Amino acid sequence: MARHLGDRAETRVVDLGELEPGDLDPARVHLIVCSTYGDGELPTNVRGLREQLLSERPTLVGIRYAVLGLGDRSYTRTYSRGSEMIDEALAACGATRIGEYGRHDAGGSSDATEVAREWADGVLAELSVRELVAR
């Protein structure tokens, strides 16, 4: 995704498992890509971030983020649930989700890379519109 965004956006790739709430910068937009593990669970390395957000409730007002969830639609009840849990934890701390909630179905015919590219392009387009409206 960083290569796809190229010079249209300054990018930095960070593993969610290594992210601390204090690393979230209100001057940036955070594109979050998260899979779902097992029966609707977060990947093991991301669980600590969610637990920290929910237990410490840091103030994330002014933080903007977008979410792309990876999952398998055949798990009807838990499809893309991992990304939803991160989304809910960020929102509970006051962060604002922007753009369309992206989802990729691993059991479908769409290529994950192409879905991610289209999603990121949509987020950038919405940011451009918001910037124009704010002027």
Side-chain angles (χ1 to χ4, degrees):
M1 194 171 326
R3 279 192 305 267
H4 174 69
L5 294 174
D7 60 0
R8 294 182 293 156
E10 180 185 332
T11 59
R12 186 174 67 123
V13 178
V14 177
D15 184 321
L16 280 177
E18 298 173 7
L19 184 71
E20 295 287 329
D23 297 335
L24 297 169
D25 180 354
R28 303 178 68 95
V29 173
H30 304 276
L31 302 182
I32 297 173
V33 179
C34 184
S35 62
T36 299
Y37 174 77
D39 191 23
E41 301 166 23
L42 278 168
T44 304
N45 69 326
V46 183
R47 292 176 188 168
L49 173 62
R50 178 178 180 262
E51 289 167 12
Q52 187 177 13
L53 289 168
L54 294 177
S55 66
E56 295 176 10
R57 297 286 181 167
T59 300
L60 299 180
V61 173
I63 300 297
R64 299 168 300 154
Y65 68 97
V67 178
L68 174 64
L70 308 174
D72 186 329
R73 193 175 299 278
S74 67
Y75 292 87
T76 310
R77 189 176 53 78
T78 60
Y79 172 57
S80 196
R81 183 67 187 133
S83 63
E84 291 172 354
M85 287 192 284
I86 288 294
D87 175 48
E88 292 163 1
L90 288 167
C93 295
T96 302
R97 181 167 42 90
I98 59 170
E100 180 181 336
Y101 197 111
R103 296 182 196 271
H104 175 260
D105 176 14
S109 60
S110 299
D111 177 67
T113 301
E114 192 55 39
V115 169
R117 288 177 181 156
E118 290 175 16
W119 167 76
D121 289 344
V123 171
L124 287 182
E126 179 165 331
L127 286 171
S128 294
V129 167
R130 285 179 180 224
E131 187 176 293
L132 287 172
V133 169
R135 289 184 187 169

